[in-house]
Amino acid sequence: MLSLISEQSARLLPGRSIETLFEVQTSAGIPDIVFIEFDKTILKHRTTHQQSFIVDFADMCVLRALNEMEAETISAASLSKQVPFSAKYISSNILPRLMEYGHVQKESRGHWHAVSKYVSPAKHIGTLEVKINDWRSGFSQTLRHRASADESWLVIASTHSSRAAAHKEWFKRAGIGLATLHPQSGIDHVVTPRAKKASSALNVYRELLAERAAHLYSNGEVSGTIGLVFGVDLTTTTGPDPRRPGDAGRHQAPGAVAHSTTV
């Protein structure tokens, strides 16, 4: 199912230049597929200016706070009022790490400033949860992933989709999409996800997923770590597994910089 869905990404997100990634961890679980339209200008800027991608939640929270505070020079104490971390932890761990990654500079003891205004590496992010028949579990997972994406979908095998389709109102109220997958005819829309309202404030959950996806992409990878299921390394039952390293390597960006702090 993963290969077929990946091949038909244009039918779910028409009009976008989409990259397909797998097993990218969000702040609330790991969706099967992440469809992402990168801002290639920002990716190039990050590489040129040796700015690493931010893959740690705490780092992203502090960078967002720096981005939204009006003062040019910020202390760890003032940052601690904006994020759920102590001034000591921010000063001794997060800010030195962000400085190493090229995002902040130290003015003087205890005082820092952002190198530049944060700009997301993603123009659009969609997450997909793929299920053969367990639509209720898929619904719950898709709902959790919605906080990290611009749109989230549950894709069910067409042969087991009737129960999910009978609950279309659930999906409409939750704002998530529902689609079915047929081995010959491909993907069909059942419910289109609701567009999120534009906001001037950075969504730290979305940007964390964008940064982690950019980290993988810029290192020529198509998948995060594939975990074991009850101690077993599961793969696709039919066709090639698009998550495997043998299918990666086509996105390598020369000189890309990325740190793997907690991915």
Side-chain angles (χ1 to χ4, degrees):
M1 290 179 73
L2 293 180
S3 294
L4 184 55
I5 294 172
S6 176
E7 292 166 4
Q8 299 203 18
S9 60
R11 294 180 66 173
L12 286 179
L13 288 84
R16 296 188 178 277
S17 178
I18 295 297
E19 303 294 343
T20 305
L21 301 173
F22 305 89
E23 309 289 339
V24 187
Q25 185 173 3
T26 73
S27 58
I30 305 175
D32 292 314
I33 300 175
V34 172
F35 287 148
I36 183 164
E37 182 179 18
F38 286 113
D39 187 327
K40 299 297 179 64
T41 302
I42 299 304
L43 295 186
K44 183 178 179 180
H45 174 87
R46 291 288 189 90
T47 300
T48 302
H49 292 80
Q50 295 289 291
Q51 286 185 319
S52 302
F53 298 108
I54 307 302
V55 298
D56 184 272
F57 178 73
D59 294 357
M60 194 68 241
C61 287
V62 169
L63 191 61
R64 170 186 150 175
L66 275 168
N67 197 66
E68 296 181 349
M69 296 174 76
E70 295 182 359
E72 290 187 6
T73 302
I74 306 295
S75 68
S78 60
L79 281 168
S80 68
K81 298 175 182 178
Q82 307 296 322
V83 296
F85 311 107
S86 69
K88 182 178 181 181
Y89 181 69
I90 293 170
S91 179
S92 61
N93 290 275
I94 300 177
L95 288 172
R97 195 158 57 223
L98 287 174
M99 183 171 67
E100 177 190 348
Y101 295 174
H103 292 277
V104 304
Q105 288 183 349
K106 191 172 185 178
E107 289 278 345
S108 58
R109 184 175 181 180
H111 292 85
W112 310 73
H113 73 267
V115 171
S116 58
K117 203 76 171 175
Y118 176 82
V119 180
S120 176
K123 293 181 178 180
H124 192 82
I125 307 176
T127 62
L128 270 75
E129 192 63 33
V130 182
K131 295 292 183 184
I132 293 177
N133 54 22
D134 187 4
W135 77 270
R136 289 179 183 271
S137 172
F139 178 88
S140 297
Q141 291 171 294
T142 305
L143 193 58
R144 290 198 298 271
H145 301 153
R146 186 172 186 266
S148 302
D150 299 309
E151 60 182 87
S152 294
W153 291 83
L154 171 63
V155 180
I156 296 281
S158 59
T159 51
H160 297 84
S161 61
S162 59
R163 290 184 180 275
H167 291 80
K168 286 191 287 187
E169 286 303 316
W170 287 25
F171 291 85
K172 291 177 181 178
R173 286 197 298 268
I176 60 180
L178 173 64
T180 62
L181 180 69
H182 189 277
Q184 277 74 49
S185 60
I187 289 178
D188 287 318
H189 291 203
V190 178
V191 177
T192 300
R194 184 171 63 244
K196 288 187 174 180
K197 294 181 180 179
S199 173
S200 58
L202 287 176
N203 177 347
V204 68
Y205 303 108
R206 179 194 187 275
E207 298 314 322
L208 184 63
L209 177 56
E211 294 281 325
R212 287 174 172 175
H215 167 104
L216 289 171
Y217 179 84
S218 294
N219 281 288
E221 301 174 6
V222 296
S223 176
T225 302
I226 303 172
L228 301 179
V229 179
F230 298 112
V232 179
D233 182 13
L234 298 182
T235 186
T236 52
T237 55
T238 59
D241 187 338
R243 304 169 300 168
R244 299 296 169 177
D247 293 322
R250 63 180 184 274
H251 302 315
Q252 184 67 46
V257 180
H259 293 260
S260 57
T261 310
T262 57
V263 151

